[in-house]
Amino acid sequence: MGTSLQMTWQKNLLLKRRKKPNTSPPLGLKNLGNTCYLNSVLQCLSYTPPLANYCLNNHHSSHCPQSGTGNCPFCLLEKRIIRSLTLDFSIDAPSKILSCVNIFSPHFRYGRQEDAHEFLRFVIDACHNACLKINKNSSIVRGIFGGKLRSQVKCCDCGAESNKTDDIMDISLDLFQVTSVKDAMQRYFQQEVLNGTNKYHCDNCEKLVVAKKQLAILKAPNVLVIQLKRFEGIHGGKIDRAIAFEEGLLLSNYMCKESQDPCPQYNLYGTIVHSGYSPDSGHYYAYIKDAMGRWYCCNDSFVSISNLQEVVSEKVYILFFARSNQRPATNQITLRYDWSGTSALQWP
Ligand SMILES: [Zn+2]
Ligand SMILES: [Zn+2]
């Protein structure tokens, strides 16, 4: 029996684990020297409801053979998230996770500024691998962030289709000539004609042909992370213009016809903003929505109350969305209702 994935905050669990009242703001994270990238990512992960619920239950560490050795990235993250959600202070130093930063990625160095998105990817991958060490067929990390993209190429001569499916943990969007996240999504999923020097080799026709290529979502993730590629401007500079986005996001236009999940809906719960000119300089800070639905700006140790208007006015770099409607049951995922009536998802 798999463990269930709780998409909404388990407030009773939070109350039980937390000594401070529910009205207190998120814990500020001290900057230990160029660690704003790490602080911002940790804040957003701590306020990812299904991950927070899982950590507050000690689900990972209670099954992990490496628990207590200090060598497991997920055990480290679990401890960090529990501290963030339960400590009585207003500021904490993420020294433990920072001193072990090379457990997530060997090339990360204490004291050096890094790209927040790169760090997030390493944390997610490292924790995913830690899950697979316990059970090679089950990963909470994939259950939370994982989705599937299908790439279809169709030969314009014979009509033969070739399909390829890729597992994804996030989506990175190009910003060239784009003014909103919606635009960028549309471009990402729009049909592309493979022609000229870009012709496609059709196995059926046994020659290079003009073909149409299209990406579509085969499995929508429970938590959708979107990176805006601000650091890939044509001249190598940062794309610093405002990119509009909204609190709600629909994936209906980008789903595969075969997916049986026609309209995944999402709500924003976190963002990471970068100010400055390159990913490894400048400054990162985060916005998160707490269990009560209040927005906060988490700028290292400085935490201040915010609101949606302020959140959407920022030039964001990374967006975190959680599904607000449930992924339909398939043979891989079964639905379960817990005692409180909150729906939960299961994975094998
Ligand atoms: Zn572990
Ligand atoms: Zn063909």
Side-chain angles (χ1 to χ4, degrees), residues 155-322:
C155 170
C156 291
D157 281 9
C158 72
E161 287 173 2
S162 146
N163 292 310
K164 193 169 115 289
T165 302
D166 286 309
D167 286 317
I168 53 161
M169 292 287 198
D170 61 6
I171 291 180
S172 292
L173 298 177
D174 279 316
L175 298 182
F176 181 64
Q177 290 180 341
V178 148
T179 58
S180 68
V181 168
K182 211 174 166 182
D183 272 1
M185 291 284 277
Q186 257 152 18
R187 275 174 188 258
Y188 187 83
F189 290 105
Q190 95 190 349
Q191 200 175 60
E192 183 191 348
V193 178
L194 305 176
N195 201 352
T197 54
N198 211 7
K199 273 189 178 172
Y200 168 74
H201 185 270
C202 175
D203 287 343
N204 194 34
C205 300
E206 295 182 319
K207 61 171 184 179
L208 285 174
V209 295
V210 177
K212 284 173 180 167
K213 185 183 171 186
Q214 178 124 43
L215 284 178
I217 299 168
L218 190 61
K219 184 174 157 198
N222 284 308
V223 167
L224 174 65
V225 178
I226 294 180
Q227 179 211 14
L228 302 182
K229 289 155 92 175
R230 288 193 175 275
F231 299 110
E232 292 179 25
I234 346 171
H235 305 294
K238 184 184 172 188
I239 300 171
D240 202 30
R241 65 174 183 277
I243 302 291
F245 63 99
E246 288 169 12
E247 187 184 26
L249 182 82
L250 284 176
L251 290 185
S252 8
N253 292 342
Y254 320 119
M255 298 304 293
C256 279
K257 285 179 199 81
E258 300 89 322
S259 91
Q260 291 167 359
D261 181 15
C263 45
Q265 293 168 23
Y266 294 83
N267 257 320
L268 188 72
Y269 71 87
T271 69
I272 293 177
V273 182
H274 175 267
S275 63
Y277 298 99
S278 71
D280 47 10
S281 72
H283 183 59
Y284 291 99
Y285 52 99
Y287 286 90
I288 59 90
K289 198 197 280 179
D290 76 356
M292 311 292 286
R294 293 166 303 208
W295 282 101
Y296 286 92
C297 178
C298 303
N299 188 343
D300 290 330
S301 25
F302 304 100
V303 172
S304 52
I305 187 95
S306 183
N307 54 59
L308 184 62
Q309 208 181 349
E310 186 178 75
V311 173
V312 298
S313 72
E314 290 275 16
K315 295 174 184 171
V316 289
Y317 177 43
I318 308 173
L319 295 152
F320 295 79
F321 291 94

Side-chain angles (χ1 to χ4, degrees), residues 14-76:
L14 206 56
L15 279 171
K16 198 172 72 189
R17 296 289 308 245
R18 201 178 197 189
K19 288 171 207 86
K20 53 185 184 178
N22 243 349
T23 46
S24 47
L27 186 69
L29 296 174
K30 208 169 160 184
N31 191 318
L32 299 170
N34 294 322
T35 55
C36 55
Y37 75 93
L38 178 130
N39 290 346
S40 304
V41 168
L42 292 177
Q43 293 289 17
C44 289
L45 290 176
S46 300
Y47 285 86
T48 297
L51 183 62
N53 291 330
Y54 192 80
C55 290
L56 286 168
N57 274 311
N58 296 103
H59 261 310
H60 170 78
S61 60
S62 58
H63 294 99
C64 179
Q66 295 232 62
S67 163
T69 65
N71 291 323
C72 171
F74 204 164
C75 287
L76 277 169

